[in-house]
Amino acid sequence: QSALTQPPSASGSPGQSVTISCTGTSRDIGAYNYVSWYQQHPGKAPKLLIYEVDKRPSGVSGRFSGSKSGNTASLTVSGLLADDECDYYCNSYAGSFTWVFGGGTRLTVL
Amino acid sequence: EGQLVESGGNMVQPGGSLRLSCVASGLDFSGHYMHWVRQAPGKGLVWLSSINFHGSSATYADSVMGRFTVSRDNAETTLYLQLSSLRVDDTAVYYCGRGVAYAVDVWGQGTPVIVS
């Protein structure tokens, strides 16, 4: 149950796009299309942004999109806004009803 | 709108025990897997445990297996996490979450556990 690997930080200017990667293994990301992404503002509970690799829950902005290739998943945030500045976590199903999170990425809007 | 509300977090000495509760209101509870996730101060999210619809099957992260026990009462729409043999590194905010499509779509506000 090793954590997925995310870059500790990412940044972009308002209006730009930024992509956050999440690398796992053939036993988690590579094995299942069950990658989800969460946004967490300081002191708040996480919020689901993406599930099943690229699906958005109702109410989540279309500026957030997800994809996967092999053992790596990605979250793209387009049209950066100041409010996008916070932490982002990936998660993958890892089989046998276990899950694993990434270490998190702090997104800074310059 | 539905919500999950955790309670039971407290300060406890190493080796001690606690029971956390997570009450669901205004949302479907019994038709969903439920999860516990924790976040140590300044650190990332860590999946701890999941329980199936009926409470008949549960899974755990290696770090808490044998020390933590998850259960649920669908009649009371309540999820529980029994924490025992607590260690200093169990200090964290503990979140409950509702499972959907192998993700967590509704999160509680978290309850803090301090082991010291």
Side-chain angles (χ1 to χ4, degrees):
Chain A
Q1 295 175 348
S2 299
L4 307 174
T5 300
Q6 297 181 234
S9 63
S11 63
S13 300
Q16 288 186 333
S17 295
V18 64
T19 297
I20 299 170
S21 63
C22 171
T23 302
T25 70
S26 59
R27 297 180 299 277
D28 37 62
I29 292 179
Y32 307 98
N33 287 323
Y34 295 134
V35 176
S36 51
W37 288 90
Y38 302 86
Q39 178 189 59
Q40 187 181 36
H41 282 97
K44 301 295 187 182
K47 173 188 174 183
L48 177 63
L49 293 177
I50 297 288
Y51 67 99
E52 291 182 351
V53 176
D54 58 6
K55 295 180 173 61
R56 275 190 312 276
S58 173
V60 172
S61 170
R63 298 186 301 106
F64 297 96
S65 61
S67 63
K68 189 189 93 166
S69 178
N71 297 337
T72 299
S74 298
L75 173 73
T76 298
V77 185
S78 304
L80 277 173
L81 301 173
D83 188 55
D84 295 333
E85 184 165 293
C86 60
D87 296 326
Y88 293 83
Y89 294 91
C90 61
N91 176 277
S92 176
Y93 180 64
S96 301
F97 294 98
T98 65
W99 282 260
V100 61
F101 279 96
T105 298
R106 174 69 55 87
L107 176 60
T108 300
V109 180
L110 302 171
Chain B
E1 185 171 318
Q3 63 176 355
L4 301 172
V5 179
E6 303 98 333
S7 62
N10 209 334
M11 179 178 288
V12 62
Q13 293 183 338
S17 299
L18 276 178
R19 189 175 82 157
L20 308 182
S21 299
C22 167
V23 177
S25 60
L27 51 78
D28 180 42
F29 178 79
S30 62
H32 293 261
Y33 271 67
M34 295 296 294
H35 304 274
W36 286 100
V37 174
R38 74 182 177 187
Q39 186 169 36
K43 303 296 185 181
L45 302 173
V46 176
W47 173 81
L48 294 180
S49 178
S50 296
I51 188 167
N52 70 351
F53 313 107
H54 309 295
S56 59
S57 178
T59 50
Y60 300 91
D62 290 344
S63 59
V64 303
M65 193 173 302
R67 299 189 302 122
F68 292 7
T69 303
V70 63
S71 60
R72 65 190 296 168
D73 183 336
N74 286 342
E76 298 293 330
T77 65
T78 301
L79 175 73
Y80 300 100
L81 187 67
Q82 179 70 43
L83 289 63
S84 60
S85 302
L86 283 163
R87 309 187 299 225
V88 171
D89 64 358
D90 291 319
T91 294
V93 173
Y94 286 71
Y95 294 99
C96 65
R98 188 180 76 162
V100 65
Y102 293 82
V104 177
D105 70 334
V106 181
W107 294 74
Q109 85 288 351
T111 188
V113 172
I114 300 172
V115 185
S116 177

